[in-house]
Amino acid sequence: MPLSDTSPSVTSPSISSPSVGLFVTCLADMFRPSVAFATVKLLEQAGCSVEVPERQTCCGQPAFNSGDRKTTADIARQTIDAFDGYEYVVGPSGSCIGMLHQYPDLFAETDSYFARATELAAKSHEITSFLFDVMGLDTLRDNLNKLHFDGAVTYHDSCAGLRELGVKDQPRKLLQQVDGLTINEMEEAETCCGFGGTFCVKYPEISNRMVSNKTDNISNSGASTLLGGDLGCLLNMAGKLKREGKAIEARHVVEVLAGMTDIPAIGEADYDLASQL
């Protein structure tokens, strides 16, 4: 992973700093490295010691959703090995972290990886949930209060983050600490955007109708920026907003919380991917 060599400036953590292994995710690595950098920044601001294991790869969700349990189990073993020894595993994706929570189901209880998969699932967290529920708002409040965001945002609740991990209030509570930012809740914020990984490939017409409904709700909210916690959803909605000619930016929530909104929004032509690597 390129982040292992080019992560942001690292402050020297105290001995008591919890050790965190960053699960980068494929989409952040390939399409939006700024999301991973912002995640590292927030974790360090909260007092964590962050590392990016080089052996990590995909969480295995595409194989899992396609019914290929053998490949998924092979990927799970590699992931378990890569993140062995960390107190926590944190990622900027409810979908990928949700997949890590399903690892125990891939192994028989007699398999040596079953206990390790169970341990990994217990220590794996989506980033906003980890910051709010585990580290606590006070660890970030001062830094968040120094930020300024001019405008209204609306927030999309991704299916996996909401339904698998219970991520709902945490990102909103963190965003409320940012000066100038207002949250305009869209209708049906909890409804799927139509991406669903392999779903949008298998059922493109249904997927397109779902994202059309979602972009209508986004536009009707009156917000100028769409935020969310999963890049798959955001890439899907940002693409549809562009095709419909709607001037609404799409960003991952961590980019706002880390004060990295100088980076062009998702789907903007002047986003220089190479400069983020």
Side-chain angles (χ1 to χ4, degrees):
M1 291 277 178
L3 282 171
S4 60
D5 297 322
T6 58
S7 56
S9 57
V10 177
T11 57
S12 298
S14 64
I15 296 176
S16 62
S17 299
S19 64
V20 173
L22 174 66
F23 194 87
V24 177
T25 81
C26 298
L27 292 181
D29 186 42
M30 299 301 297
F31 295 103
R32 194 76 175 175
S34 56
V35 170
F37 292 142
T39 302
V40 172
K41 182 177 180 180
L42 288 166
L43 289 169
E44 290 180 345
Q45 287 179 344
C48 300
S49 172
V50 187
E51 294 183 4
V52 184
E54 293 187 10
R55 291 187 61 193
Q56 68 177 291
T57 181
C58 175
C59 67
Q61 187 172 175
F64 182 79
N65 289 345
S66 299
D68 187 350
R69 295 297 189 268
K70 181 182 183 302
T71 298
T72 309
D74 289 341
I75 294 171
R77 291 186 185 94
Q78 179 168 329
T79 304
I80 292 166
D81 290 340
F83 287 94
D84 187 40
Y86 293 101
E87 293 178 68
Y88 299 100
V89 176
V90 178
S93 166
S95 180
C96 295
I97 298 299
M99 184 65 226
L100 267 57
H101 281 221
Q102 298 186 58
Y103 278 3
D105 294 335
L106 299 172
F107 304 102
E109 292 187 13
T110 55
D111 192 312
S112 62
Y113 273 91
F114 175 78
R116 297 177 65 193
T118 301
E119 180 183 355
L120 176 66
K123 67 181 182 181
S124 298
H125 302 270
E126 183 272 342
I127 178 61
T128 62
S129 175
F130 180 75
L131 293 173
F132 191 83
D133 298 326
V134 179
M135 297 305 296
L137 180 58
D138 287 344
T139 61
L140 280 172
R141 194 189 304 273
D142 288 345
N143 286 307
L144 294 176
N145 289 166
K146 294 175 184 176
L147 299 176
H148 180 80
F149 186 91
D150 187 17
V153 306
T154 194
Y155 198 91
H156 165 71
D157 297 300
S158 69
C159 295
L162 176 67
R163 294 169 178 83
E164 291 186 59
L165 305 177
V167 177
K168 175 70 176 180
D169 293 335
Q170 301 93 324
R172 290 168 171 83
K173 294 290 187 182
L174 293 168
L175 288 167
Q176 287 169 1
Q177 308 305 310
V178 178
D179 177 59
L181 184 148
T182 58
I183 302 175
N184 292 1
E185 295 288 358
M186 73 175 91
E187 291 186 18
E188 300 184 358
E190 299 181 354
T191 299
C192 179
C193 71
F195 176 63
T198 56
F199 176 85
C200 65
V201 177
K202 294 178 179 179
Y203 307 102
E205 293 183 0
I206 298 174
S207 174
N208 185 58
R209 177 60 182 270
M210 293 172 73
V211 74
S212 294
N213 292 343
K214 178 63 70 169
T215 54
D216 284 344
N217 289 333
I218 292 167
S219 180
N220 291 337
S221 75
S224 58
T225 303
L226 165 67
L227 299 181
D230 271 277
L231 269 175
C233 304
L234 289 165
L235 288 166
N236 183 40
M237 293 181 289
K240 188 63 173 179
L241 287 167
K242 288 293 181 185
R243 292 191 295 275
E244 293 176 340
K246 295 175 179 175
I248 299 173
E249 292 188 345
R251 295 184 180 277
H252 196 288
V253 62
V254 295
E255 294 176 324
V256 173
L257 296 174
M260 294 173 58
T261 53
D262 56 325
I263 297 170
I266 295 171
E268 295 294 333
D270 53 352
Y271 180 79
D272 184 0
L273 177 61
S275 71
Q276 304 298 315
L277 300 178

